[in-house]
Amino acid sequence: MSSSDTAGHPTVTAKSAHRKAIGLAFAAAVGGFLFGFDSSVINGAVAAIEGQFDLDAAVTGLVVAIALLGCALGAWSGGKLADRWGRTRVMVVGAVLFFASSILSAIAWSALDLALWRFMAGVGIGIASVIAPAYIAEIAPAKLRGRLGSLQQLAITVGIFAALLSDQLLAETAGGAANELWLGWEAWRWMFLVCVVPAAVYGILALRIPESPRYLVAKGRDAEARDVLESVLGPDEDVDDRIAQIHRSIAVDEKNAQEGSLKGSAFGLKPIVWVGILLSVFQQFVGINVIFYYSTTLWQAVGFDESQSFLVSTITSITNVAVTFIAIALVDKVGRRPILLIGSAGMTVSLGIMALAFTQASGSGDNISLPDPWGPIALVAANAFVVFFGASWGPLVWVLLGEMFPNRIRAAALGVAAMAQWLANFAITLSFPPMLDAFGATIPYLMYAIFAALSFVFVLSKVPETKGMELEDMGNEAAVRHG
């Protein structure tokens, strides 16, 4: 094979094209790292912030949770802006918002302005949570799309671990998160300031990666789209045919004005949009963030003292990272639906065991304890839950949201689905403490087990299989349903 074509352009081999696609997917997935980092960085600072500003529990909870409302706004607006300005420009907007909010959070002088900067950070994270899966799906070859889409969740889990480790190192160096560290600043302020590093990396990468070929074609910039597709598809696929497919899908959408909107016959939205929304809601309603946000209570209940809780939480976060590789390895071989179904079944059983174990608990609220052998049983069940979630619903929801929608509505529909995910996260995060106080741990974990069982029925009856399909075929509902 020659090293250049007749026009003098270097020939793109299949191997180099796949490397290019993987590199672009990794760059976009840095947005997932921001997502994970931001969701965990506040945990190490909560107690110090509460003492610094003399806050009660309700205000502290609002400062922690308000970022999730910002995420919902960012997700909703990010999809619309991506269709108007392009994927990479909106990535830059998200990076700038997160960068600025990290500095402003570090110099916060009251709970009010800290809450405002946390909300701003949430908007940036919400934008990143939408754009990354859409961009990855649109630049990835069909046979790699599941694996590359799973990088979003891998980046989230690595971000959670990195924030946990960063908080711990800063707190230990200062002798406590509330103690001064460098330049007269308390350690908790440095925890927020560290966030500028991943934000800057994300912004720089967004400025260097090419625009999505589907956005370029929609804007009539076919030559640029051809260059991008040639660089990521390689010689085995006909780039001109792919561009023609994108044009046809856009033309079909534009022929019926309603196709360009999310409006439809199912309670005001297209049925496929509701599938995306419910995927997002179920991902949160199984209670995964209760494990990560409130793990100290759980670990103390099963017999660990407070000083050991960080080690156990770190092991759990490493487990979450590791099992994501299971999904990456299997998603393009086994398919999306089988993995989701196995995950739903495993989560149902493990959450049910946790609910059963806590029927044996004594005490209430934060002061609950479990007798042997129920303590170790609950510990094993909790980690089994993390394994089943991390190998299925964690990464695969992002894969499906990035690829299941027709071209014309992909970014907007993904934005609505991601907004629903953030609102569901907000509801679960805020509801767990009062439920724990009122009913103990059994009722919330039983509720999460019921939602996990319902997610199995939902996948079986409503979720399409998209393995190996081209994105241009996603508007064909029959093909998607049976694909």
Side-chain angles (χ1 to χ4, degrees), residues 1-302:
M1 183 179 290
S2 64
S3 61
S4 64
D5 59 25
T6 55
H9 297 113
T11 298
V12 178
T13 65
K15 183 179 289 188
S16 65
H18 287 173
R19 281 201 299 263
K20 177 76 170 180
I22 292 168
L24 294 178
F26 266 106
V30 174
F33 183 91
L34 294 186
F35 176 167
F37 199 96
D38 181 71
S39 68
S40 286
V41 75
I42 186 71
N43 291 344
V46 169
I49 291 169
E50 196 169 26
Q52 177 94 27
F53 299 125
D54 193 24
L55 308 179
D56 60 31
V59 176
T60 302
L62 181 62
V63 171
V64 172
I66 197 169
L68 298 175
L69 296 181
C71 289
L73 176 62
W76 176 77
S77 59
K80 295 178 181 295
L81 293 175
D83 283 334
R84 187 176 304 168
W85 297 346
R87 281 45 166 163
T88 55
R89 288 180 182 176
V90 177
M91 287 183 194
V92 173
V93 172
V96 169
L97 286 172
F98 191 60
F99 186 93
S101 66
S102 301
I103 296 173
L104 292 168
S105 295
I107 62 175
W109 58 88
S110 70
L112 180 62
D113 75 296
L114 179 59
L116 178 62
W117 311 139
R118 293 291 300 151
F119 183 84
M120 180 193 294
V123 174
I125 296 306
I127 288 173
S129 74
V130 170
I131 302 306
Y135 181 86
I136 292 170
E138 291 176 351
I139 58 93
K143 60 185 177 182
L144 291 179
R145 197 174 59 237
R147 277 170 280 179
L148 297 186
S150 300
L151 292 176
Q152 165 85 342
Q153 180 66 16
L154 178 63
I156 292 170
T157 59
V158 172
I160 290 171
F161 172 70
L164 201 64
L165 189 61
S166 171
D167 283 359
Q168 182 69 10
L169 290 174
L170 290 169
E172 286 186 353
T173 301
N179 295 337
E180 286 189 7
L181 184 53
W182 302 303
L183 304 179
W185 283 15
E186 297 89 353
W188 70 264
R189 296 184 184 274
W190 286 98
M191 291 176 186
F192 288 121
L193 196 62
V194 167
C195 297
V196 302
V197 177
V201 170
Y202 184 53
I204 293 169
L205 289 173
L207 289 169
R208 295 178 61 86
I209 63 178
E211 184 52 80
S212 156
R214 285 164 180 81
Y215 172 80
L216 293 172
V217 170
K219 296 301 180 182
R221 295 156 61 182
D222 286 19
E224 294 174 64
R226 182 176 289 103
D227 288 342
V228 177
L229 286 170
E230 285 177 345
S231 71
V232 297
L233 296 182
D236 297 334
E237 299 195 45
D238 188 331
V239 172
D240 289 329
D241 181 61
R242 180 64 63 84
I243 290 176
Q245 288 178 22
I246 297 173
H247 273 297
R248 284 194 296 272
S249 69
I250 292 172
V252 168
D253 290 343
E254 290 178 340
K255 188 174 181 180
N256 182 349
Q258 286 298 311
E259 287 293 322
S261 76
L262 305 184
K263 294 178 181 178
S265 58
F267 300 100
L269 294 173
K270 295 181 186 298
I272 193 67
V273 178
W274 278 114
V275 173
I277 289 171
L278 289 172
L279 271 171
S280 291
V281 170
F282 275 121
Q283 189 200 50
Q284 295 302 313
F285 274 16
V286 297
I288 187 62
N289 282 314
V290 167
I291 298 293
F292 289 110
Y293 293 167
Y294 301 107
S295 58
T296 301
T297 299
L298 177 62
W299 305 143
Q300 287 179 296
V302 301

Side-chain angles (χ1 to χ4, degrees), residues 358-372:
F358 278 100
T359 62
Q360 308 301 311
S362 58
S364 61
D366 292 338
N367 299 309
I368 55 177
S369 60
L370 286 170
D372 286 334

Side-chain angles (χ1 to χ4, degrees), residues 296 298-309 312 379:
T296 301
L298 177 62
W299 305 143
Q300 287 179 296
V302 301
F304 290 100
D305 61 41
E306 190 172 2
S307 64
Q308 295 171 310
S309 64
V312 180
L379 180 63

Side-chain angles (χ1 to χ4, degrees), residues 326-356:
I326 297 174
I328 292 173
L330 296 178
V331 62
D332 286 319
K333 297 176 182 177
V334 176
R336 285 62 163 154
R337 278 166 49 90
I339 297 175
L340 286 177
L341 290 169
I342 292 169
S344 293
M347 291 189 299
T348 301
V349 173
S350 54
L351 286 166
I353 292 172
M354 288 178 70
L356 178 63

